[in-house]
Amino acid sequence: QVQLVESGGGLVQAGGSLRLSCAASGRTFRPSTMGWFRQAPGKEREWVAAISWIGGNTFYVDFVKGRFTISRDNANNAVFLQMNSLKPDDTAVYYCAARNRVEGVYDYWGQGTQVTVSS
């Protein structure tokens, strides 16, 4: 089984930065893709960014391009989300997820970390 544990959330003022981390463990951890999702109160969960585990190719939803950067540390089974120029609309619970296949649903999810951006 694979476990994902997020950290790094918190309260920040608009325009500030946060760096989220996701630590993965488990004997069967061999992802194709790692992703970050978020869910704001009263809204559905939405995809934010993804990175291919081997090649390091990155993908972003339009509204975070230029502000967020996803990266990974293969040696330590970790993935990160650097978030700059944060806006109040970025307030949400952020989830790390892992997918074994190149496409399709994500197989494993973390418990989430709260990010709150004040105006």
Side-chain angles (χ1 to χ4, degrees), residues 71-91:
S71 61
R72 88 266 193 244
D73 179 350
N74 298 56
N76 292 296
N77 288 346
V79 65
F80 309 98
L81 187 67
Q82 177 67 43
M83 305 186 295
N84 299 328
S85 302
L86 283 163
K87 306 174 182 179
D89 285 348
D90 294 318
T91 295

Side-chain angles (χ1 to χ4, degrees), residues 1 16 21 41 68 86 88:
Q1 187 70 333
S21 299
F68 292 10
L86 283 163

Side-chain angles (χ1 to χ4, degrees), residues 35-41 43-50 60-64 67-68 81 88-97 106 109:
W36 285 98
F37 292 74
R38 71 185 189 185
Q39 187 168 19
K43 296 185 178 180
E44 294 187 353
R45 185 168 58 193
E46 59 185 358
W47 170 74
V48 174
Y60 300 94
V61 68
D62 283 348
F63 55 76
V64 304
R67 299 191 298 125
F68 292 10
L81 187 67
D89 285 348
D90 294 318
T91 295
V93 177
Y94 283 72
Y95 298 91
C96 172
Y106 281 77
W109 294 84

Side-chain angles (χ1 to χ4, degrees), residues 1-117:
Q1 187 70 333
V2 172
Q3 292 83 38
L4 303 176
V5 179
E6 302 96 333
S7 61
L11 173 64
V12 64
Q13 289 188 334
S17 299
L18 282 174
R19 186 175 189 246
L20 305 183
S21 299
C22 174
S25 61
R27 296 177 61 185
T28 59
F29 181 70
R30 299 183 185 88
S32 169
T33 306
M34 297 290 294
W36 285 98
F37 292 74
R38 71 185 189 185
Q39 187 168 19
K43 296 185 178 180
E44 294 187 353
R45 185 168 58 193
E46 59 185 358
W47 170 74
V48 174
I51 186 167
S52 61
W53 192 245
I54 302 302
N57 298 316
T58 58
F59 309 88
Y60 300 94
V61 68
D62 283 348
F63 55 76
V64 304
K65 284 181 180 178
R67 299 191 298 125
F68 292 10
T69 302
I70 188 171
S71 61
R72 88 266 193 244
D73 179 350
N74 298 56
N76 292 296
N77 288 346
V79 65
F80 309 98
L81 187 67
Q82 177 67 43
M83 305 186 295
N84 299 328
S85 302
L86 283 163
K87 306 174 182 179
D89 285 348
D90 294 318
T91 295
V93 177
Y94 283 72
Y95 298 91
C96 172
R99 183 172 67 195
N100 290 335
R101 294 166 296 278
V102 175
E103 297 181 341
V105 299
Y106 281 77
D107 303 287
Y108 306 102
W109 294 84
Q111 83 289 347
T113 185
Q114 177 70 47
V115 171
T116 303
V117 184

